[in-house]
Amino acid sequence: MARGKVSKADVGHARKLGLDPDRLLRIREVIEADTTQGLYDGAVFIVARHGEIVLHEAVGHTDLAKKRAARKDDVFFIMSLTKQMTTVRVLMDIEAGKFTLTTPIREILPEFGIKGKQNITVGHVLTHRTGLNTEIPFTLPVDKLGNIEAVVACLSNERVLFMPGTIVTYNPTTAHALVAAMVQRLDAKKRSFRRILAEDVFAPLGMKDTALGLPDRLKKRLVPVVVRDKTRGIFDPDLIEALNYIAAEDTEMPSGGGVSTAHDVFLFAEMLRRGGELNGRRLLSPETVILATTNQTGDQPNHLMDYMREMYGWPEIPAFLGLTFFLRGEGVFPTPLGINTSPDTFAGLGAGSTMFWVDPERDLTYVFLSAGLMEEGKSFLRHQRLSDMVVAAVVD
């Protein structure tokens, strides 16, 4: 689709898939208006139905300082979408019988089992109910965030702040290093975790432009991390922008250090939409995908969002977490998944910038990667508005 018009081929394809082409065009127009206002710099996004891409657009700039226009093959830091990719590999080990959701972390990482952490399980990590500090450990230098063993060593010296399993507090930066380290230590080939993801997840799905860390081959297309909105929220802007300097070929941040393109993220979402399989390569069973995308936290709130509730006057909002995946759930409240997506819609969400979701009821998929990060609460509302526009394009 070109700006301001829809080709005959696009119109026919959209209508065949039960989508209104004019309503799809509105999405691009709203994103263009956002970037013109300076809310963020640009975005690459995809809308697909029944596995067929009907809209794949690049809008605005992905390096505003250099006046570089957004391109469909731009490589973004995908932030916490990395968590869902890490989780898929963890679930593959569970299906292989190496451990279970109820396995205590200390059984594989013995050094972790001190200071009240003896009974923290894999399931606690994947549902953000470890009871650990959600911030970067005080003893961990920023330049060690990409070293899984260094992160594990620091987390092992932490004490629990809450009884494991009792409170949901999203852990943005470090907890997934624990389950990644478990996979790594049990790997028969003794591979690094970045190689495990590359060979066991990315390659089978054809995700050629995705990596944990930043390979040299992707640097020319990389979108720099720039925090456009300096409002202080969950993340310190300087810490987020440090990704530009600490990301390298061997950087391993299983919680948020991946890079990818919109199309590669779509391939990952497509595997999940299809119940764990894509192009004849099965990563997970359908039952495991259902488990991972089913509410595991009940009506418990996500306490990391407490600051947003106070800043914006929002009500208490259920966490609605599966195994790392965000879920729509039910109710009317601020949600990046949109008010009108179906309750079973599942998603990944990355700091002030990235998201994907799959609405199983409508067989609808959406991917959005943006440049110029927003404060998380404002980004939530941006995602909500655009997500509802995507659903509003479904007319059949």
Side-chain angles (χ1 to χ4, degrees), residues 234-291:
I234 293 177
F235 301 105
D236 185 304
D238 292 336
L239 176 62
I240 290 290
E241 291 182 353
L243 274 173
N244 294 312
Y245 310 106
I246 66 176
E249 182 96 29
D250 60 351
T251 302
E252 295 183 314
M253 295 174 59
S255 292
V259 296
S260 191
T261 62
H263 189 263
D264 273 12
V265 173
F266 168 74
L267 293 175
F268 180 75
E270 182 68 357
M271 175 272 295
L272 295 164
R273 184 191 72 85
R274 292 170 56 90
E277 174 273 334
L278 183 66
N279 295 328
R281 302 295 298 272
R282 180 163 294 283
L283 270 59
L284 297 172
S285 70
E287 290 302 318
T288 294
V289 173
I290 290 171
L291 177 68

Side-chain angles (χ1 to χ4, degrees), residues 69-308:
R71 296 169 51 97
K72 293 179 184 179
D73 65 348
D74 277 333
V75 173
F76 292 79
F77 285 101
I78 57 172
M79 307 300 182
S80 287
L81 303 192
T82 314
K83 289 183 177 69
Q84 281 77 37
M85 296 175 186
T86 294
T87 294
V88 163
R89 185 58 187 81
V90 171
L91 294 174
M92 290 168 69
D93 264 11
I94 289 176
E95 289 196 338
K98 293 186 177 182
F99 50 83
T100 73
L101 285 175
T102 58
T103 298
I105 302 294
R106 62 176 169 78
E107 288 192 11
I108 313 298
L109 311 178
E111 68 272 30
F112 183 73
I114 59 172
K115 297 187 176 183
K117 304 190 301 298
Q118 288 85 344
N119 297 311
I120 293 177
T121 66
V122 173
H124 288 144
V125 173
L126 298 186
T127 56
H128 296 274
R129 295 185 294 178
T130 62
L132 291 172
N133 173 21
T134 62
E135 305 297 329
I136 298 172
F138 179 74
T139 55
L140 182 68
V142 172
D143 62 357
K144 294 294 185 183
L145 270 173
N147 183 318
I148 288 176
E149 291 298 336
V151 173
V152 168
C154 285
L155 289 175
S156 295
N157 198 41
E158 293 266 305
R159 65 177 177 86
V160 291
L161 299 181
F162 308 101
M163 287 294 291
T166 61
I167 291 177
V168 179
T169 305
Y170 183 84
N171 193 299
T173 52
T174 56
H176 274 61
L178 295 168
V179 288
M182 292 175 66
V183 171
Q184 187 171 264
R185 291 194 192 180
L186 294 173
D187 184 55
K189 300 177 184 177
K190 303 302 179 186
R191 297 171 292 173
S192 64
F193 191 66
R194 68 182 184 278
R195 186 175 172 189
I196 290 171
L197 279 183
E199 295 179 356
D200 298 354
V201 178
F202 305 150
L205 298 181
M207 297 169 66
K208 297 178 181 179
D209 292 326
T210 305
L212 184 63
L214 179 57
D216 288 341
R217 63 185 175 84
L218 298 178
K219 286 183 178 179
K220 288 185 178 179
R221 290 186 282 139
L222 184 69
V223 176
V225 178
V226 177
V227 178
R228 191 57 60 201
D229 179 359
K230 299 293 185 178
T231 304
R232 296 282 172 165
I234 293 177
F235 301 105
D236 185 304
D238 292 336
L239 176 62
I240 290 290
E241 291 182 353
L243 274 173
N244 294 312
Y245 310 106
I246 66 176
E249 182 96 29
D250 60 351
T251 302
E252 295 183 314
M253 295 174 59
S255 292
V259 296
S260 191
T261 62
H263 189 263
D264 273 12
V265 173
F266 168 74
L267 293 175
F268 180 75
E270 182 68 357
M271 175 272 295
L272 295 164
R273 184 191 72 85
R274 292 170 56 90
E277 174 273 334
L278 183 66
N279 295 328
R281 302 295 298 272
R282 180 163 294 283
L283 270 59
L284 297 172
S285 70
E287 290 302 318
T288 294
V289 173
I290 290 171
L291 177 68
T293 57
T294 297
N295 186 10
Q296 304 293 327
T297 56
D299 293 327
Q300 290 179 283
N302 177 1
H303 285 287
L304 190 70
M305 291 180 61
D306 286 349
Y307 92 91
M308 278 191 254

